[in-house]
């Protein structure tokens, strides 16, 4: 029966090509706009660690002795960060700090370049499942020994060494030589979650959270030596004595990430964190004992409002636009079905049930939805292509994946069926006798 | 022409009327809010920098040791000054639409109790304030002996220039000259008030106003090096900047020239507002698509109504109604539907605005946008219904005796 209805629907759609084209176009444009923006939302708000983010936590404490008791700072001061890290109370733990550094690859013809350098500890790589192409990460012993080693990104390896295995080669970072021990496989977390902070001060302009990972990664202890004087604080409550040297300054500038396998460990770490603050309070270094936080990675991303407000705004606009397009389709379908009042009356008089008429109309709406979905898919691909050409930090991660491909069709057919409900119901109420008289 | 019969007829097509009115309402709500967002973005993009934008460029060099700074400053400044067409070269800490410079909270008292807000400090070498083209409203520019070396972030106890807006915020209604502010473990005395100077990144961060900036005179040295402000006549500037980048690379071969930041202020401004321009373009595209879709919907439904009422139109024509009467009938009908939509749309517009206010910290939608949206939709409705209405008016009276 459905097959027959589809045939009827196609026949009916062919009869009034302009009206059909208008409806298909309305659905296609609405779907194209909303799916383009929804795909970007989906890509930007996804879990950067694919299901493991529930185990990753971001401890915070209030390091400012003059704290007014608002949110603790987004980063840690040097004594707190290193003390928490040295306690080794988590399954895995990594200190993270960022600094710009001059980089030169001896033996290549490239001029020196400035690169953001990520400095961290050995657990960073297994904790965040960072993939390697060549070599390996450094060890905990390297951390302790301030080893002159580095891991570089696939991008930087392509740029400096044309993608060859560069393990064992030397890089000159500022005035120090470091040995490359590992080269990452292409790795593009979105957002760059371990660098996320300060989102609540960004007024929604958070596109920079979706930038590319740093080119060069060195051990934390090594970086403090080779790039001393070039560290930027997140904020300070008094001016550092030596600019860029922050170990003994009243500044926060280090992030600590911990991995905690189960709820008991999470509770234990919270207790440990509070205990540390209480102990430091007793020693007179910290003033507030009630202002610690330990958000999970997901909570931390939410707290920082990582999805740029422009993207959210575009998505709501696109869906408002889709709603308007659907209103349009409802109106046009209504006109179309009611124009066929005579035909429907005849069918009813010949014994068709209201249900059959309703189903037939709905199938027709569904066919429009499928056609509109195909058009919408083309427009979505076109829209995403346009977004990729924009100079946005996340332009390179924008693509249509299988799930969004299916969602496009589901939304399109669902929307057109929804739009068809009212007109179909109205059409099925046509009284056979009344219509026959005017035929 | 009476409204009563039109209303009576509409009541017979309740669903279709409601659907079209709903579409108009949604369009009205989105239109008002989108226009509001566009105007706000365009206003943000036209922020007054207060500097002589077309005549200024900047060169940034990084990746050198503090111990080389004095030598580098001297060599680079000399090399840039030697370029033909260059009018002045001075050291600078930040430029409008470039990277942020020094940002710090200020207080109006030594104890730090009276918080004055978070402001941007432009550290400026000799000649920079003059080269920027700042307009002095009161007080004076720094004297040659007031440029002191930067010890940590800014010179200690420096005299400063402050913008008119910031002065009014810190000391409402008072004369700001000779007043003192405290920040970064030191204090500053106001010696001059300038008309305008935007912060380097207007619209971002915690600042309440784009003009919350302060100019601090400083002598180039180890903590103040690597960034230079060039001025040239606007015609010469593109060539001067090209030459300046080459000269900087040659003069400091071991350091790294920041290509992103070594550009004219005009280029920096363009880049800075790129995402706003993209968003404005997108909003305009949405408005156009939205109005187009709405118009097509009206055309579609009105055409259907004309076809449906062919016979009635014929009867009315036969009874003496002129073509104008028929035309006006459809126009009034459209006007009524659009009006219902606009009334609902205005309520919806405010509802959407409330949501936007809570999510994006937008101000309340000004009432002025509502009549604009209403008039736009009335005109759109009348234009869209014109073709079907004209077709209706051309129905001959004889159609009355033929079957529909």
């Amino acid at each position: 029966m459905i097959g027959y209805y589809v045939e009827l629907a196609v026949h009916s759609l062919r009869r009034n090509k302009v009206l059909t084209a208008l409806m298909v176009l309305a659905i296609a444009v609405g779907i194209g706009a909303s799916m383009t923006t929804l795909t970007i939302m989906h890509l930007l708000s996804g879990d950067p660690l694919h299901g493991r983010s529930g185990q990753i936590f971001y401890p915070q404490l209030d390091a400012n002795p003059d704290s007014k008791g608002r949110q603790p700072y987004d980063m840690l001061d040097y004594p707190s960060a290193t003390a928490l890290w040295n306690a080794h109370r988590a399954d895995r733990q990594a200190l993270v700090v960022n600094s710009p550094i001059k980089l030169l690859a001896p033996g290549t013809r490239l001029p020196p370049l400035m690169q953001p350098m990520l400095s961290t500890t050995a657990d960073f790589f297994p904790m965040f499942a960072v993939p390697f192409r060549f070599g390996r990460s450094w060890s905990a012993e390297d951390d302790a020994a301030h080893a002159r080693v580095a891991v570089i990104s696939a991008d930087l390896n392509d740029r400096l060494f044309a993608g060859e295995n560069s393990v064992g080669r030397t890089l000159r970072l500022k005035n120090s030589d470091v040995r490359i021990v590992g080269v990452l496989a292409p790795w593009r977390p979105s957002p760059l979650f371990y660098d996320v902070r300060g989102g609540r001060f960004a007024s929604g302009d958070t596109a920079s959270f979706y930038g590319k990972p740093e080119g060069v990664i060195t051990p934390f202890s090594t970086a403090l030596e080779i790039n001393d004087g070039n560290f930027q604080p997140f904020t300070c409550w008094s001016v550092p004595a030596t600019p860029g040297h922050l170990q003994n300054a009243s500044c926060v500038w280090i992030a600590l990430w911990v991995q905690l396998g189960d709820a008991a460990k999470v509770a234990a770490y919270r207790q440990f964190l509070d205990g540390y603050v209480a102990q430091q309070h007793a020693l007179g270094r910290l003033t507030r004992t009630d202002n610690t936080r330990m958000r999970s990675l997901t909570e931390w991303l939410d707290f920082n409002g990582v999805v740029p407000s422009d993207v959210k705004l575009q998505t709501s606009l696109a869906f408002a636009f889709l709603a308007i397009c659907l209103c349009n389709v409802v109106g046009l379908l209504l006109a179309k079905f009611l124009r066929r009042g005579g035909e429907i009356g005849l069918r009813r008089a010949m014994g068709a049930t209201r249900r059959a008429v309703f189903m037939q109309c709905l199938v027709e709406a569904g066919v429009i939805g499928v056609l509109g979905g195909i058009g919408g898919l083309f427009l979505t691909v076109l829209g995403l292509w346009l977004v990729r050409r924009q100079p946005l930090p996340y332009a390179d991660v924008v693509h249509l994946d299988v799930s969004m491909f299916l969602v496009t069709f589901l939304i399109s057919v669902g929307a057109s069926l929804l739009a068809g409900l009212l007109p179909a119901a109205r059409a099925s109420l046509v009284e056979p006798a009344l219509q026959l008289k005017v035929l | 022409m009476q409204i009563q019969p039109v209303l009576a007829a509409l009541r017979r097509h309740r669903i279709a009327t409601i659907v079209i009115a709903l579409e108009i309402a949604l369009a009205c709500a989105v239109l008002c809010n989108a226009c509001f967002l566009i105007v706000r973005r365009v206003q943000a993009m036209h922020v007054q920098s207060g500097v002589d934008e077309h005549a200024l460029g900047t060169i940034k060099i990084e990746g050198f040791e503090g111990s080389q700074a004095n030598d580098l400053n001297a060599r680079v400044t000399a090399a840039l000054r030697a370029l033909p067409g260059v009018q002045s070269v001075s050291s600078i800490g930040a430029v409008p639409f470039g990277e942020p410079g020094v940002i710090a909270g200020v207080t109006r008292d030594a104890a730090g109790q009276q918080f004055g807000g978070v402001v941007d400090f432009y550290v400026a070498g000799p000649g920079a304030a003059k080269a920027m083209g700042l307009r002095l409203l009161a007080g004076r520019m720094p004297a040659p002996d007031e440029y002191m070396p930067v010890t940590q972030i800014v010179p200690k106890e420096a005299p400063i220039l402050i913008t008119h807006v910031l002065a009014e915020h810190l000391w409402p209604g008072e004369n700001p000259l000779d007043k003192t502010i405290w920040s970064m473990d030191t204090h500053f005395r106001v010696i001059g008030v300038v008309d305008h100077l935007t912060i380097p990144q207007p619209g971002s961060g915690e600042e309440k106003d784009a003009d919350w900036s302060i100019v601090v005179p400083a002598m180039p040295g180890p903590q103040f090096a690597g960034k230079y402000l060039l001025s040239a006549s606007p015609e010469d500037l593109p060539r001067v900047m090209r030459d300046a980048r080459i000269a900087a690379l040659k003069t400091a071969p071991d350091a790294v020239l920041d290509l992103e930041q070594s550009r004219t202020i005009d280029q920096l401004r363009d880049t800075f507002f790129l995402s706003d321009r993209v968003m404005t373009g997108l909003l305009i595209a949405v408005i156009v698509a939205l109005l187009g879709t709405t118009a097509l919907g009206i055309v579609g439904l009105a055409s259907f109504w004309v076809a449906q009422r062919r016979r009635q139109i014929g009867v009315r024509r036969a009874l003496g109604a002129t073509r104008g009467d028929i035309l006006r009938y459809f126009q009034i009908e459209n006007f009524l539907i659009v009006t219902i939509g606009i009334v609902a749309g205005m309520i919806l517009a405010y509802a959407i605005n409330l949501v936007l206010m809570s999510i994006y910290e937008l101000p309340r939608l000004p009432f002025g946008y509502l009549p604009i949206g209403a008039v736009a939709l009335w005109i759109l409705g009348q234009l869209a219904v014109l073709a079907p209405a004209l077709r209706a008016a051309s129905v001959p009276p004889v159609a009355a005796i033929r079957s529909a």
Side-chain angles (χ1 to χ4, degrees):
Chain A
M1 208 57 180
I2 293 287
Y4 174 60
Y5 287 160
V6 172
E7 237 172 82
L8 275 182
V10 172
H11 177 72
S12 144
L13 292 178
R14 275 214 186 123
R15 251 190 352 195
N16 196 334
K17 291 203 180 78
V18 179
L19 205 59
T20 308
L22 272 184
M23 288 190 280
V24 171
L25 190 71
I27 293 202
V29 173
I31 292 290
S34 46
M35 286 315 294
T36 302
T37 54
L38 196 65
T39 304
I40 295 170
M41 270 289 266
H42 168 76
L43 292 169
L44 298 193
S45 58
D47 181 349
L49 274 182
H50 295 294
R52 301 188 334 119
S53 44
Q55 291 186 10
I56 307 294
F57 291 85
Y58 191 72
Q60 286 172 273
L61 52 81
D62 197 344
N64 183 355
D66 305 321
S67 168
K68 308 257 188 334
R70 292 174 294 223
Q71 286 284 341
Y73 288 135
D74 288 23
M75 300 187 85
L76 298 173
D77 58 310
Y78 182 80
S80 305
T82 46
L84 292 175
W85 188 81
N86 280 324
H88 291 282
R89 294 295 186 96
D91 293 349
R92 286 185 178 126
Q93 48 181 6
L95 294 170
V96 172
V97 72
N98 241 308
S99 57
I101 197 159
K102 184 164 78 170
L103 180 148
L104 185 73
T108 66
R109 285 189 304 170
L110 273 125
L113 44 121
M114 290 301 290
Q115 275 278 313
M117 172 171 74
L118 170 70
S119 304
T120 183
T121 49
D123 280 355
F124 179 86
F125 302 94
M127 186 160 137
F128 295 143
V130 185
F132 276 83
R133 179 184 279 166
F134 304 118
R136 49 168 187 84
S137 65
W138 64 82
S139 65
E141 290 75 47
D142 291 330
D143 275 328
H146 304 214
R148 295 288 193 259
V149 292
V151 167
I152 62 171
S153 72
D155 271 356
L156 189 65
N157 192 48
D158 289 346
R159 199 162 153 195
L160 295 179
F161 307 108
E164 286 169 26
N165 185 351
S166 57
V167 169
R169 297 186 68 152
T170 302
L171 275 187
R172 189 148 186 83
L173 297 178
K174 205 174 157 193
N175 300 319
S176 312
D177 283 333
V178 297
R179 187 169 47 86
I180 297 172
V181 292
V183 177
L184 299 187
W187 183 55
R188 182 75 172 87
S190 156
L192 206 52
F193 59 91
Y194 55 84
D195 280 343
V196 165
R197 60 205 166 226
R200 65 204 150 111
F201 308 116
S203 324
D205 191 5
T206 50
S208 56
F209 288 154
Y210 293 87
K212 291 189 172 121
E214 294 82 355
V216 57
I217 313 174
T218 54
F220 178 76
S221 53
T222 312
L224 293 187
E225 293 173 2
I226 64 176
N227 208 19
D228 190 32
N230 285 321
F231 291 93
Q232 294 295 318
F234 177 77
T235 192
C236 297
W237 53 95
S238 83
V239 178
T242 324
H245 176 92
L246 304 175
Q247 269 110 297
N248 43 18
S250 307
C251 298
V252 290
W253 55 295
I254 303 169
L256 171 66
W257 290 97
V258 295
Q259 184 175 4
L260 301 163
D262 55 52
K265 284 179 180 164
V266 176
Y269 202 90
R270 278 186 208 280
Q271 226 170 10
F272 159 67
L273 183 63
D274 287 339
Y276 170 75
V277 172
Q279 177 219 343
Q280 291 296 308
H281 175 68
L283 292 173
R285 196 174 72 82
L286 301 178
T287 43
R288 291 197 74 97
T289 54
D290 58 345
N291 207 9
T292 59
R293 300 281 190 286
M294 201 173 77
R295 295 181 169 92
S296 72
L297 173 56
T298 330
E299 287 165 346
W300 179 243
L301 296 181
D302 283 349
F303 176 70
N304 279 280
V306 285
V307 177
S309 61
D310 273 2
V311 172
K312 287 191 239 168
L313 193 62
Q314 284 160 8
T315 310
S316 13
L317 256 180
F319 274 87
F321 182 54
L322 178 64
I324 289 168
C325 289
L326 284 185
C327 273
N328 210 337
V329 174
V330 172
L332 295 176
L333 276 179
L334 206 60
K336 194 158 199 300
F337 291 163
L338 290 187
R339 188 184 282 184
R340 293 216 307 265
E343 184 190 313
I344 293 168
L346 184 65
R347 279 200 62 207
R348 292 275 288 118
M350 304 285 281
T353 59
R354 288 191 176 205
R355 213 183 119 79
V357 171
F358 181 76
M359 279 309 291
Q360 191 207 326
C361 290
L362 213 54
V363 166
E364 195 171 326
V367 170
I368 292 173
V370 171
L371 291 177
I374 296 171
L377 201 65
F378 275 114
L379 290 179
T380 306
V381 172
L382 179 73
L384 292 175
W385 178 77
L386 282 174
V387 172
R388 266 199 301 277
R389 292 171 55 90
Q390 302 299 321
L392 295 160
Y394 50 82
D396 61 318
V397 297
V398 168
H399 68 282
L400 190 66
D401 55 15
V402 180
S403 64
M404 292 317 269
F405 181 87
L406 293 175
V407 169
T408 306
F409 271 102
L410 275 180
I411 290 192
S412 177
V413 175
S416 57
L417 287 181
L418 195 73
L421 273 184
L422 189 76
R426 182 67 189 78
S428 68
L429 290 178
V430 164
E431 290 296 334
L434 275 178
Q435 293 295 327
L436 285 181
K437 265 198 285 184
V438 296
L439 258 183
Chain B
M1 191 78 207
Q2 285 168 337
I3 291 177
Q4 210 63 40
V6 183
L7 272 177
L10 276 182
R11 229 170 272 145
R12 287 197 51 209
H13 300 279
R14 226 171 284 148
I15 301 178
T17 308
I18 291 171
V19 168
I20 287 288
L22 194 68
E23 189 178 340
I24 300 278
L26 270 169
C28 179
V30 174
L31 187 68
C32 290
N33 280 290
C35 284
F36 177 49
L37 291 172
I38 289 176
V39 168
R40 279 184 54 84
R41 297 242 172 194
V42 170
Q43 274 171 354
M45 288 195 299
H46 284 96
V47 65
Q48 242 181 313
S49 69
V51 306
D52 205 353
E53 285 177 42
H54 307 311
L56 293 174
T58 170
I59 290 286
K60 185 189 169 197
I61 294 167
E62 52 190 343
F64 54 87
E65 296 292 313
S67 53
Q68 310 168 347
N70 281 331
D71 174 49
L72 182 97
N73 272 332
R75 277 189 294 134
V76 174
T77 310
L80 294 178
R81 277 196 184 129
L83 296 174
V86 170
Q87 288 168 354
S88 79
V89 177
S90 32
S91 285
I92 192 99
V95 292
F97 315 114
E99 289 172 331
V102 178
I103 303 172
V106 300
T107 58
R108 285 178 293 159
D109 61 334
Q113 295 305 307
Q114 291 171 277
F115 187 62
V118 176
V119 306
D120 281 60
F121 290 79
Y122 281 92
V123 180
K130 187 166 169 284
M132 282 163 106
L134 297 179
R135 210 161 70 83
L136 207 56
L137 292 180
R140 58 177 179 89
M141 287 286 186
D145 62 346
E146 284 175 317
Y147 291 85
M148 306 303 277
V150 177
T151 43
Q152 290 161 333
I153 298 168
V154 286
K156 292 273 180 211
E157 299 169 18
I160 53 168
L161 301 177
I162 186 169
T163 61
H164 167 65
V165 171
L166 183 57
E168 192 54 36
H169 163 74
L170 291 173
W171 305 286
E174 292 175 56
N175 180 7
L177 290 179
D178 278 332
K179 290 261 194 312
T180 304
I181 54 165
W182 279 259
S183 182
M184 295 177 278
D185 301 343
T186 182
H187 59 92
F188 306 91
R189 190 170 50 86
V190 178
I191 57 160
V193 181
V194 298
D195 190 15
H196 274 296
L197 176 58
T198 177
I199 59 168
Q201 309 220 299
S204 62
E206 294 173 276
E207 292 81 5
K208 296 287 178 289
D209 192 284
D211 250 3
W212 280 17
S213 38
I214 286 175
V215 179
V216 188
M219 196 48 98
Q223 300 305 329
F224 179 32
K227 207 160 181 180
Y228 308 93
L229 183 75
L230 277 80
S231 69
S233 71
E235 313 81 76
D236 286 346
L237 194 64
R239 182 186 51 78
V240 165
M241 284 308 292
R242 245 192 339 267
D243 294 350
R245 286 162 74 143
I246 297 166
L249 277 172
K250 251 195 221 151
T251 323
D254 296 335
V256 184
L257 178 70
D258 185 339
L259 292 172
E260 291 294 309
Q261 290 296 319
S262 298
R263 304 202 282 169
T264 66
I265 306 294
D266 278 334
Q267 288 168 333
L268 290 176
R269 185 183 189 119
D270 268 4
T271 315
F272 184 74
F273 287 115
L274 190 69
S275 66
D276 290 282
R277 272 209 306 282
V278 170
M279 192 67 191
T280 309
L282 200 96
L283 285 167
I284 292 172
V286 166
I287 290 178
V288 170
L290 191 124
L291 294 180
T293 314
T294 313
L296 285 181
I298 293 173
V299 172
L301 215 61
S303 304
F304 164 67
W305 274 338
V306 169
Q308 201 187 29
R309 294 180 208 163
R310 234 180 117 73
R311 233 174 98 177
Q312 287 95 315
I313 295 167
V315 170
R316 284 198 55 205
R317 290 278 284 126
L319 289 176
T322 61
R323 278 165 193 266
D325 288 334
I326 304 294
L327 187 67
R328 266 192 299 284
Y329 177 89
F330 282 97
Q331 284 177 326
I332 288 175
E333 184 183 68
N334 178 271
F335 183 81
L336 287 178
I337 298 177
V338 172
T339 306
I340 298 170
I342 287 171
V343 171
M346 287 180 175
I347 299 166
L348 197 61
Y350 267 90
I352 292 177
N353 180 239
L354 279 180
V355 176
L356 288 178
M357 275 166 69
S358 65
I359 303 178
Y360 307 110
E361 293 168 28
L362 276 182
R364 184 173 293 282
L365 182 69
F367 282 104
Y369 287 89
L370 295 179
I372 296 173
V375 169
L377 286 169
W378 268 319
I379 294 174
L380 181 82
Q382 290 302 314
L383 287 179
V385 86
L386 201 60
L390 281 173
R391 215 173 318 135
S394 67
V395 170
V398 74
I401 49 172
R402 291 201 203 117
S403 71

